[in-house]
Amino acid sequence: MSKILTNPKGTIKLELRDDRLSAWLTLQDRDNLIDEEEILALIDEAGIKTGFEEALRYIRKHGLEKDFNTPFPIAVCERVKGESKLNYYFDLEQAKSFSGVITPANLGNLACIEEGTVLADYSSNIFDRQGSIYDIYGEMLQVEDFDAQSARELVGGNVEYSESSHQYLALKAGFVQVDDQGRISILDELTVDGDVTASEGVLRTPVGLMIKGDVVSARIVAAGNLSIEGKLSDSSIYCEGNLLVKGQILDCRQPGLEVMGDLRCESIELSRVLCRGTLEFTGQVLDSEIVADRGIRSEDGEISGGHTESCGDVRLARLGARDGRNTELEITISPFYKVLLLHLTKELLHLKQDPQGNAEQIAAVENKISVCETELDRDLNQFLQRPQTERVSLVIGQEVYPPVMIRILKHEYQISSPQRGLQIQEKD
C-alpha cells in the first residue's frame, strides 16, 4: 500500500507510491494560503531527493491542473520497461549482409573475431538506460528484468549466451553473421565461388575455406580445414586442419603440401605431400614424395613410383609401376617430423650461408626446428610405449609390380617379381 504523510493541520497530504517511483500531493480546499514551508517539510520528512523536474514534465505532458482536493505529482521517476540495451561490438550492418561467400581480394578487408570474444551484451551501464537512473529517494534503480527467452533466441551457430553476464560469446574464431531474425552466428568457414589462381597472391584464411573451383599456381595458408571442389595443380598449401581435394593433386612440388590433419583426394601425381594425419585416395599416387603419419588407405587405389612413408598401417589395392620404375615404401617412426626437420635444417643452412641473411628469418626457422625436435621425441616415446599387441602392417589386396623396396622399421623387403597380394606385419 502507499504511504501517506500529512502536515500537523491535516491540510496537506503526501502519498508515496510503493514502487518508489512517484509521490503525489493533495491540497485541501481552504480560505487560508498554503504554507510552502509545510510542503517542503513533508518532502524532507519523506526523504524525497529526485524526480521534481520529471514531475513538472509529467504534468505538462498529461495536461494536469494543480487544483484543490486533486492529487498531482510532486516527484516522478520514469522507469521504461525493457530498458536493458543490447550493445553490438561489431559492425552490425556488415554482419547482416555477410553471407560467407568471398573473393580472395576482399578477404583481407574482413575482421576475424577471436574465440572467446564478447560479441554483444545487455549493458548495465547507467548511461545506456532509457529511463530514470534513480528512484525518488535518490537510490539507484536495479536493471529491469528482460525477456531471457528472447535473449536466448538470438544465439546462432558457434555462439554462446551467458545467463549470468548477459553476454554473447564467440565459441570459435571466425566472422560474424546476423540473420533476418537477429540471430548472431560465427562463421568458421568461408567460400570462394570460383577458381583461385596465382593472380590472387598469397591467400591467407584464419578459418576454414571451401573453394568451388580449381586451384592453379596459387599459395594458400589455411588455419582451418580446406576443401577444393576441383583440381589442385602447381600450388603450395599449408593447412592446419584437414584437406579435401575432390579432383587431382598435380605437379605440386616445392614446397608442395603440408597438412596438419587428414588428406583426402582423388589422386596425386608428381607432387610433394607432407600429411600429419591419414591419407585417403581413390585413384593413384604417381611418382610423388608422400608422407602420411597416421596411415594410408585406398581400397581401389595404387601407389606407383616415388617414395612413400608412414607410421601407420598401409592398405592399398596395388603397389608398384607396370613399366618397371622403382617404387619405395617405408613404415617408420614419425616420418612427418623427420622429413620436416630435414627440410628446415637445409633452409637454416642456406640462410646462414647468405651474407645478407635475415636474422629474424633465421630465428624463426630455429624455433621451428626446436618444435620439430620436441614433437619427434614425443612421437618416438609414444611409439616405443605402445602395447605389445599393436603392430603396424602393409596389406596389398591385388597386384604388386616390381621393383618395389619395402622397409618396415628395421626390416627390408625387396620385391623383384610380380605377385598377387602381399601382407607384411611389423616384426620385433
Side-chain angles (χ1 to χ4, degrees):
M1 296 179 61
S2 299
K3 183 179 180 180
I4 305 295
L5 298 180
T6 60
N7 65 340
K9 299 177 182 178
T11 56
I12 304 174
K13 181 173 68 174
L14 181 62
E15 179 186 1
L16 308 173
R17 299 285 172 89
D18 287 340
D19 58 11
R20 302 173 63 88
L21 298 178
S22 64
W24 295 71
L25 196 67
T26 303
L27 305 178
Q28 288 188 356
D29 188 7
R30 61 177 188 168
D31 295 334
N32 299 329
L33 294 175
I34 299 297
D35 187 350
E36 185 177 319
E37 293 298 326
E38 292 186 76
I39 296 175
L40 294 175
L42 279 180
I43 292 174
D44 185 61
E45 180 184 350
I48 299 172
K49 295 181 174 63
T50 62
F52 303 111
E53 293 183 2
E54 289 89 339
L56 293 175
R57 287 196 292 268
Y58 184 92
I59 290 171
R60 288 195 294 268
K61 179 179 178 180
H62 294 85
L64 301 181
E65 297 288 341
K66 294 182 181 180
D67 203 355
F68 291 110
N69 301 318
T70 301
F72 60 88
I74 193 69
V76 170
C77 290
E78 184 180 11
R79 185 170 193 171
V80 179
K81 181 69 176 178
E83 63 186 57
S84 295
K85 175 185 176 184
L86 181 57
N87 300 303
Y88 296 96
Y89 301 114
F90 54 86
D91 188 324
L92 180 58
E93 293 306 314
Q94 184 182 77
K96 286 181 177 179
S97 61
F98 185 62
S99 65
V101 179
I102 63 161
T103 63
N106 68 18
L107 177 58
N109 299 325
L110 301 176
C112 182
I113 301 297
E114 295 183 1
E115 179 182 345
T117 298
V118 177
L119 303 171
D121 65 13
Y122 289 95
S123 176
S124 59
N125 189 329
I126 62 175
F127 299 107
D128 287 335
R129 295 195 186 178
Q130 301 176 37
S132 299
I133 298 173
Y134 304 101
D135 63 18
I136 62 174
Y137 305 107
E139 295 182 9
M140 186 172 292
L141 291 167
Q142 297 300 312
V143 176
E144 186 95 345
D145 291 338
F146 59 91
D147 189 343
Q149 180 59 34
S150 295
R152 287 189 287 269
E153 289 174 356
L154 297 184
V155 175
N158 298 321
V159 171
E160 177 184 56
Y161 175 68
S162 171
E163 300 282 354
S164 58
S165 64
H166 297 172
Q167 294 177 329
Y168 295 89
L169 306 171
L171 295 178
K172 289 185 177 181
F175 300 89
V176 188
Q177 181 189 63
V178 177
D179 65 14
D180 294 340
Q181 285 73 47
R183 289 188 294 262
I184 305 170
S185 298
I186 290 291
L187 300 186
D188 60 347
E189 181 181 82
L190 300 176
T191 299
V192 174
D193 193 6
D195 299 337
V196 174
T197 64
S199 62
E200 312 293 353
V202 181
L203 178 57
R204 299 180 185 274
T205 169
V207 297
L209 181 66
M210 174 182 288
I211 300 173
K212 294 186 175 182
D214 297 333
V215 175
V216 181
S217 301
R219 294 180 61 193
I220 300 176
V221 178
N225 296 330
L226 176 60
S227 175
I228 301 170
E229 294 198 347
K231 67 181 179 181
L232 171 62
S233 62
D234 189 27
S235 297
S236 168
I237 303 289
Y238 175 79
C239 176
E240 291 188 7
N242 300 323
L243 173 61
L244 169 62
V245 182
K246 293 187 177 180
Q248 293 178 309
I249 298 174
L250 176 64
D251 203 28
C252 297
R253 300 175 188 248
Q254 292 296 335
L257 314 183
E258 186 174 331
V259 183
M260 299 305 294
D262 298 329
L263 169 58
R264 288 189 293 155
C265 63
E266 177 188 297
S267 61
I268 303 172
E269 184 175 342
L270 300 171
S271 297
R272 177 180 182 270
V273 176
L274 296 182
C275 174
R276 177 64 169 152
T278 301
L279 168 62
E280 294 186 41
F281 61 96
T282 57
Q284 68 173 358
V285 173
L286 178 64
D287 296 329
S288 296
E289 178 186 349
I290 304 295
V291 171
D293 248 20
R294 306 305 182 198
I296 301 173
R297 294 194 295 268
S298 182
E299 185 175 325
D300 299 314
E302 65 181 64
I303 293 179
S304 176
H307 184 89
T308 300
E309 296 185 39
S310 179
C311 188
D313 295 337
V314 178
R315 302 282 188 271
L316 302 170
R318 292 170 296 278
L319 178 64
R322 294 172 177 82
D323 61 5
R325 286 174 293 111
N326 190 53
T327 301
E328 299 177 350
L329 188 148
E330 184 175 359
I331 297 180
T332 183
I333 301 172
S334 191
F336 180 87
Y337 284 111
K338 284 180 183 176
V339 172
L340 191 56
L341 187 58
L342 178 61
H343 171 74
L344 290 171
T345 301
K346 290 180 179 178
E347 183 179 353
L348 180 62
L349 182 61
H350 175 75
L351 287 172
K352 287 185 174 181
Q353 289 176 341
D354 186 352
Q356 299 180 351
N358 187 304
E360 290 185 3
Q361 286 182 325
I362 291 174
V365 173
E366 288 177 336
N367 182 64
K368 290 180 181 179
I369 289 175
S370 177
V371 172
C372 278
E373 291 173 338
T374 300
E375 294 296 330
L376 184 59
D377 286 342
R378 181 158 51 198
D379 284 357
L380 176 60
N381 289 332
Q382 288 179 349
F383 191 87
L384 295 176
Q385 293 172 11
R386 294 176 304 159
Q388 288 295 318
T389 54
E390 290 187 12
R391 288 287 188 268
V392 293
S393 62
L394 166 67
V395 177
I396 308 299
Q398 299 178 30
E399 290 81 16
V400 180
Y401 302 101
V404 175
M405 192 284 288
I406 298 170
R407 183 180 180 89
I408 300 181
L409 299 180
K410 59 184 179 181
H411 298 281
E412 288 190 3
Y413 307 86
Q414 293 281 349
I415 308 298
S416 55
S417 60
Q419 64 183 72
R420 175 75 178 183
L422 176 66
Q423 183 167 343
I424 305 176
Q425 191 171 36
E426 172 192 345
K427 297 180 181 180
D428 293 331

